[in-house]
Each structure stands twice: as C-alpha cells, then as structure tokens.
Amino acid sequence: MAEKTRSIWVFGDYRNYFQNRVTLQLLSRATDLAQKIDAEVCAVVFGHEVDEWVGEYIAHGAKKVFVTDHPMLKSYSTDLYVALMERLALTYDPEIILVGATSFGREFAPRVSKRLKTGLTADCVGLDMNEEGLLVQTAPAFGGNVLARIVTPGRRPQMATVRPGTFQEIPHNYEAAGEIVRVPLPANLPRDRVRLISSERQPPREQKIEDAAVVVCGGRGMGSRKKFRNLYDLARILGGEVGATRPVVYSKWAEEEALVGQADKHIQPKVLLSFGISGAIQHTAGITNADFIIAVNKNPNAAMMKMADVAIVADANQVCTAFIRELKRRIRS
Amino acid sequence: MLKMIVCMKQVPMVTELPWDTGTGSLKRDLAEGMMNPACKHALEAALRLKAEHDGHITAITMGPPMAEEVLREAIAMGADRCLMLSDRKMAGADTLVTSYTLARAIEIFCPDFDLILCGCHTSDSETAQVGPQLAEELDIPVIAYAEHVQLGDGSITIRRVSDNFLETLEMDMPGLITLTTHNYVPRYTPLAGLQDAFDEPNILIVSADDLGLDEAMTGIQGSPTRILDVFSPTAEKKNIVLTGAPKKIVEELFERFDDRIGSVIRKDLKVDRQSHG
Ligand SMILES: Cc1cc2nc3c(=O)[nH]c(=O)nc-3n(C[C@H](O)[C@H](O)[C@H](O)COP(=O)(O)OP(=O)(O)OC[C@H]3O[C@@H](n4cnc5c(N)ncnc54)[C@H](O)[C@@H]3O)c2cc1C
Ligand SMILES: Nc1ncnc2c1ncn2[C@@H]1O[C@H](COP(=O)(O)O)[C@@H](O)[C@H]1O
C-alpha cells in the first residue's frame, strides 16, 4: 500500500566520506522543505551491510529510511540501483527525489528521471517550495551568468541534483528516532550489464582550499601567468591557499585543483581576497560561504565588487604587490 | 564491423554571452559556435577505435541549422556520415526530450549500432544528463566519465575515476559511454580536409516529421521542466569602496581591518601609528 503522506526522498550516497556529506547536506535541506509542505523526509539506501549509514541518516534528519541490503548490491551499480529506485518510487510515490551530484549521482539520477518520465534539474544552487507546493529549483542557466527558477509542474516526482557543499548539514542527533523500512531484493531484478573488474580507492583528495581560513582567488584580470604567481606569494604569507577561475585554469596559470566555483570547489574562508574576477555566477556559487570578502577590480561595477565587503577599485597586480609589502612590514614590526 | 555513433553539440565559443534583459533571451547569434570539447574527445576516441578495428562512425547533432558546422568538422576529422536533426519543433528541448529525439533518430537511421559515444557534459549547460538518459531511452547500459576505452569481444572495457575510485568496468554492447577530456586529445584537423567536408558533405538533414516524433514529447512543449523566470543574482552588499593609489589603499585597508585579518592569520598586524606616515 502506498502511503498517504507526502514524502521527500534523499538518495543515500555513502560510498565514501565525500559523497556522504552531500547526502547529509541534502537531508538538512529536505527537512526545511518538508516543513513547508508537511511531508516526511526519507533516505533511500541500497547496498550491503549498510546499517551504519542508515543510523547516520536518521541522526541527520531522515524520519524514515528505505533499505535494500543484499550482497548483490555491494558495489554501486547503475542498472540495479535504477531498477530498485524505480520500483520504490512507483510504490511509494514521493513528491521529490534529491540526489547528490557525485559521479555516481550523475549517472544514476538522469536514468531514474527518464524511467519515471519526469524532469530533472542539474546542479541546483537553491531549492524552495512555492505557494502552489511546487519545488522551485534554482540553477544556473544558458551557460551565462544567470540563474533560472525551474519547476516541474505536471510530473512526479520532482527531481534535482545538487553539488556537494551547496547546503549546510545539520548537526547529528543520535537520539533521533526513525523508521526503517526493509525492502527485499525483488526476484526479477534485471541482469547487470556492467561488471566491475577492479576498483581502487584513490588517496582521499586533499581538501586544502575547501578548509582554508584564507583564500586568495585570482581571475583573468591578473593579466598573465607571471603576475598570477604573485598571488602564491601573498597566499603563503597569509598561510592561505590560492583559488582560480575557469579561464585562469584553462590558460594554465593555475592548476585545475585551484578552480573555485559551482562546478568544482565550494570554499568557506574567513577571509577571501579576490583579484581581477568579474563574479560570474558559476564562480560566485562557490564562495557564498565566505565571511569577509575583499575584491580588487578595475571595474567598480563588476558583480564581484558588489558582493564584497571591501571593494578596491585598482589594478589587481599592483594591489597584490602592495599587499605583500604592507603585510611583511606589519608582521615584522 | 564496429558501428559507432557519436553525439555532439555545438556550443558557444565564449562563455559570457550577452544577455538580452529586454526579451529575456540569450543573444546566441552573437557567438561563434564550436564543437563541445568533450564531444570532440568522444569523436577522437571513436576514431582511434575505428583505426584499430574495422569501424564506421555516424555523427549526430540536434540543433539549429548553424550546428551543421560541427558535423562538417566531424567529417573532416574522419567521421563517415552525419545526421543533422534540425527543426523548429525541436527547439527548447530539455534533456529528457533531447534524449528522446536522439533515440528516435538512432532507432531509425542506425538501429544496429554497437557503441554510442557522448561527451561527459557540454560546456554551455553542463547538465551531463543527455548521455545517461539516451542510454535509458534505448535500454542499453551506460558508463559515464570514461577515460580509457578498450574493445573486447562483445564487450568494452572502460577505465575511469568515479568519486575517488579508480575503476575498471566491463560493459555489454550495445552500450553508451560518455568521455571526459582527460585523454583522447583530438587530432589536428587539416584545412584541406575541412574543405572537402564542405564540398561533399555526407550529411542527412532530418526533421521532426521524418522521425515521427510524438508532439507531446517534442521541443519545449514536451519538456517536463518549466522555467519560471531568469534573473541575475545580485547579492549586493553595503560595502566599503576604496579607490586611489594601490599603496594608499592597502594602508587604509590595514588601518581599518588589521584586527579582522590578523585574527584569522593569527598575527598581530598592528603597527605603531607614530612610526609610519
Ligand atoms: C557551465 C559553466 C560552468 C562554469 N563553471 C565555472 C566554475 O566552476 N568556476 C569558474 O570560475 N568559472 C566557471 N565558469 C566560467 C564563468 O562563467 C566565467 O566565465 C568565469 O568565472 C570568469 O572568470 P574571470 O572572472 O577570471 O574572468 P572575466 O570574466 O574575464 O573577468 C576578469 C575581470 O578582471 C577585471 N580586470 C581586468 N583587468 C584588470 C586589472 N588590471 N586589474 C583589476 N581587474 C582587472 C575585469 O574588469 C573583469 O571583471 C563556468 C561557465 C559555464 C558556462
Ligand atoms: N543537442 C544535442 N545533440 C547531440 N548530442 C547532444 C545534444 N545535447 C547533448 N548531447 C550529448 O550529450 C552530452 C552531454 O550533454 P549535456 O547533458 O548537455 O551536458 C554531450 O556531450 C553530447 O554528446
């Protein structure tokens, strides 16, 4: 029997720490959304020996967890997971399904949406409910510097993917109660057409920029690779990390690891110094959690300048040089 | 014979397209188009498979007439034939509908394919959804973000990095893979080849009627997602604006914010006022 109450589902992506955080972040957002439409927050977990994660999701806001636990599901499989999700969704009819935009999530969510013949919005930077009870998905659109508010009026569930770091998780509460619904592996599950030959966990990516208290970000306005190197000196003195915009990474002024933005790293420094960056949404989506922003740009009207606490109208490289000098002087004195 | 299909999209060469706030649309006509980088890598992967095995490549794009350019480029690079899906009725398609349309074309014009190659994402929309949804529509398996491809007997072996796991996977054919831009650096396209491609293009232009598309599944009408509105995020802060000579600005900055910056870097940045100025 399908349940009467509405529900918001979050796909439990637990394969490693990084994925799991986005699941927790989505549970937190789902909890806010659920209050607005009087719905229940559910997590969905497929795998083998996954009780640890089930507990974790309940502690982070899931009121109910659907679990299918079977040795066949030990490693992530798009074919099998999609089939399981389809069945679950057809049985319980969720209003909303949220999936983290991890590598797996990006393979999984589009197939699920296609099966369920419903819309899917990629990389939402905002999720809300409107008066009509529709999920309003805010996402960058047209490859430009604009955000679009997108809804899926006529189909259910409403589906969205969200990059890690977009929402904040709520602190865990191991006292929290949640219902666990154990769903047996269906007998007529399709054959998996992809076989895992080998899988090696790569050394966990160093999350340096993501955790740095000070980040010095540079954009195309730095002018050249050589001038851009100046930012590394500044970052070193500040004990911080260097971030970059996409054109900078494309021109190889900085490593790909430095790329900050919606598509890659979300940073949350206490102090962010931004040099020669226009402030395109794809970049600024990655810095929304910065506490204090100092931006340098020749153009006082650049979007980056509008969102700064201190906007410096000047040449980026000259300010960088002056900054280094002044810092050295002050640290010495 | 290994029958391959490469799906490609034309994208604007510049990322910051002018936005017409009056009409609320993108001034796409102002931008020159190019083959989406990941699609180009996918084509390169197909060309290398073709060189090693006896292969045949069909390149497909759905887009405005101008998008034919990417098909000509594909032919210049070594694709054997092309399908151009172009029709006003197809405009405004979201990913669900794009994948539906591509699937119908494939079913009609190349039903006996072995392998479909897509880019992992497009540089203008970056949804990364069309590949997996196309696979679902055709009911074939998918591996996204492939970095290395090797052909086996009735199957294909892929290496990729997925969420910090280095994986080797084997997939039944027919199947679909999406390629990243890590490997398969596209070959240089000689001008002479491009010229030939313009003289004698093996390009079939296909309309919505040719495909017998279900109207309820086509273009903007058929797309389940609706755009409510579009806006530029102006998170304006009441900020302090500093202008003037860089040296003076920086001094002023530290006068006002030495505590704020100093506390974060755990250094005392105060100077004795008398000693400078
Ligand atoms: C799907 C998609 C995803 C994307 N994802 C990302 C992403 O994750 N991260 C990202 O960063 N970008 C991303 N982009 C690109 C993004 O849209 C912008 O193009 C990019 O952020 C702009 O970088 P920029 O500010 O360095 O360059 P520009 O936009 O060229 O800005 C340069 C700025 O420097 C200023 N300037 C010039 N000379 C000087 C000087 N001498 N002194 C001071 N200031 C000067 C200019 O006034 C200008 O404001 C994405 C784009 C797309 C389409
Ligand atoms: N209009 C289109 N025509 C042909 N192939 C497309 C089209 N749109 C997307 N694709 C394919 O799907 C991939 C991913 O696109 P996207 O989902 O837009 O990020 C692209 O690299 C192409 O291989």
Side-chain angles (χ1 to χ4, degrees), chain A residues 321-333:
Chain A
T321 306
F323 210 109
I324 292 173
R325 263 207 210 111
E326 184 69 13
L327 260 177
K328 283 187 177 159
R329 189 172 77 85
R330 284 175 180 258
I331 289 171
R332 224 178 278 131
S333 72

Side-chain angles (χ1 to χ4, degrees), chain B residues 238-277:
Chain B
K238 254 199 18 232
N239 57 8
I240 296 160
V241 179
L242 302 178
T243 57
K247 186 167 182 299
K248 281 271 169 292
I249 293 174
V250 172
E251 277 171 14
E252 191 182 342
L253 182 77
F254 277 95
E255 292 298 314
R256 296 172 76 155
F257 297 106
D258 53 357
D259 282 345
R260 180 123 207 189
I261 300 170
S263 67
V264 172
I265 68 171
R266 301 213 174 89
K267 293 223 160 75
D268 182 7
L269 297 176
K270 293 228 179 298
V271 287
D272 182 359
R273 291 274 149 87
Q274 269 79 15
S275 75
H276 101 279

Side-chain angles (χ1 to χ4, degrees), chain A residues 143 219-221 245-247 260 263 276 278 282 297-298 315-316, chain B residues 15-16 123:
Chain A
R220 188 140 57 181
T245 62
R246 180 181 275 196
V260 168
S278 61
Q282 291 92 355
N297 198 307
K298 280 211 293 213
D315 179 83
Chain B
T15 48
E16 296 109 281
S123 66

Side-chain angles (χ1 to χ4, degrees), chain B residues 199-239:
Chain B
D199 291 344
E200 207 187 315
N202 186 2
I203 297 176
L204 193 63
I205 315 253
V206 179
S207 71
D209 288 343
D210 295 338
L211 295 178
L213 295 182
D214 178 352
E215 277 203 25
M217 287 289 289
T218 308
I220 197 159
Q221 261 109 346
S223 302
T225 53
R226 286 269 175 287
I227 294 183
L228 286 180
D229 57 3
V230 166
F231 61 102
S232 345
T234 37
E236 291 201 21
K237 267 191 192 171
K238 254 199 18 232
N239 57 8

Side-chain angles (χ1 to χ4, degrees), chain A:
Chain A
M1 260 304 286
E3 305 220 336
K4 287 279 181 291
T5 54
R6 294 194 273 189
S7 59
I8 301 179
W9 290 11
V10 174
F11 173 67
D13 198 342
Y14 54 82
R15 192 157 53 157
N16 64 31
Y17 174 84
F18 172 64
Q19 275 91 337
N20 212 22
R21 293 257 87 90
V22 70
T23 308
L24 305 182
Q25 290 155 7
L26 286 177
L27 283 170
S28 151
R29 190 68 202 132
T31 302
D32 294 339
L33 298 175
Q35 271 163 10
K36 301 189 185 184
I37 57 164
D38 190 26
E40 188 174 43
V41 176
C42 306
V44 178
V45 182
F46 304 137
H48 187 45
E49 293 168 348
V50 288
D51 284 353
E52 184 187 350
W53 310 120
V54 173
E56 199 69 13
Y57 297 153
I58 291 173
H60 280 87
K63 295 283 174 276
K64 184 186 279 181
V65 185
F66 296 100
V67 193
T68 303
D69 193 317
H70 193 278
M72 258 176 78
L73 305 176
K74 195 169 177 333
S75 58
Y76 278 29
S77 149
T78 312
D79 270 347
L80 300 185
Y81 282 30
V82 168
L84 291 173
M85 194 65 159
E86 181 196 16
R87 276 164 214 241
L88 265 189
L90 291 178
T91 312
Y92 293 95
D93 209 10
E95 274 290 297
I96 295 171
I97 300 181
L98 305 177
V99 180
T102 59
S103 311
F104 182 77
R106 292 176 161 279
E107 203 178 87
F108 171 73
R111 292 199 76 137
V112 172
S113 81
K114 186 100 211 179
R115 280 275 171 103
L116 300 172
K117 299 193 173 47
T118 190
L120 171 66
T121 305
D123 297 328
C124 296
V125 295
L127 293 173
D128 216 331
M129 307 302 307
N130 69 9
E131 317 75 59
E132 295 155 55
L134 288 177
L135 178 68
V136 180
Q137 309 154 6
T138 306
F142 304 109
N145 308 328
V146 291
L147 289 173
R149 273 188 279 254
I150 298 168
V151 291
T152 305
R155 318 259 178 107
R156 289 293 175 275
Q158 307 162 81
M159 288 188 65
T161 66
V162 175
R163 302 248 187 188
T166 305
F167 299 115
Q168 298 262 306
E169 66 192 67
I170 35 182
H172 59 77
N173 169 15
Y174 290 114
E175 255 48 314
E179 183 191 345
I180 299 174
V181 181
R182 300 213 175 258
V183 183
L185 196 73
N188 51 345
L189 208 60
R191 196 176 60 87
D192 195 346
R193 297 165 292 187
V194 175
R195 290 162 295 282
L196 185 66
I197 307 293
S198 69
S199 172
E200 262 170 65
R201 191 189 290 265
Q202 301 221 298
R205 216 160 40 98
E206 280 185 62
Q207 300 232 335
K208 271 183 153 170
I209 309 187
E210 284 97 322
D211 299 331
V214 180
V215 175
V216 179
C217 265
R220 188 140 57 181
M222 280 308 286
S224 70
R225 184 187 157 88
K226 188 154 170 264
K227 289 180 185 162
F228 193 90
R229 303 314 292 180
N230 229 348
L231 298 179
Y232 286 90
D233 292 337
L234 178 56
R236 198 170 314 120
I237 300 169
L238 290 166
E241 296 294 326
V242 170
T245 62
R246 180 181 275 196
V248 160
V249 170
Y250 273 176
S251 325
K252 305 222 184 316
W253 298 354
E255 298 293 312
E256 192 152 352
E257 280 71 48
L259 184 57
V260 168
Q262 181 235 344
D264 287 82
K265 297 207 170 73
H266 292 254
I267 57 174
Q268 42 200 349
K270 297 263 178 289
V271 175
L272 170 66
L273 292 156
S274 168
F275 288 91
I277 293 177
S278 61
I281 171 66
Q282 291 92 355
H283 173 72
T284 57
I287 60 172
T288 46
N289 293 326
D291 277 352
F292 186 67
I293 301 178
I294 303 170
V296 189
N297 198 307
K298 280 211 293 213
N299 173 8
N301 299 317
M304 192 62 232
M305 297 286 264
K306 304 270 186 226
M307 66 182 290
D309 296 276
V310 181
I312 298 178
V313 188
D315 179 83
N317 190 51
Q318 285 178 16
V319 172
C320 178
T321 306
F323 210 109
I324 292 173
R325 263 207 210 111
E326 184 69 13
L327 260 177
K328 283 187 177 159
R329 189 172 77 85
R330 284 175 180 258
I331 289 171
R332 224 178 278 131
S333 72

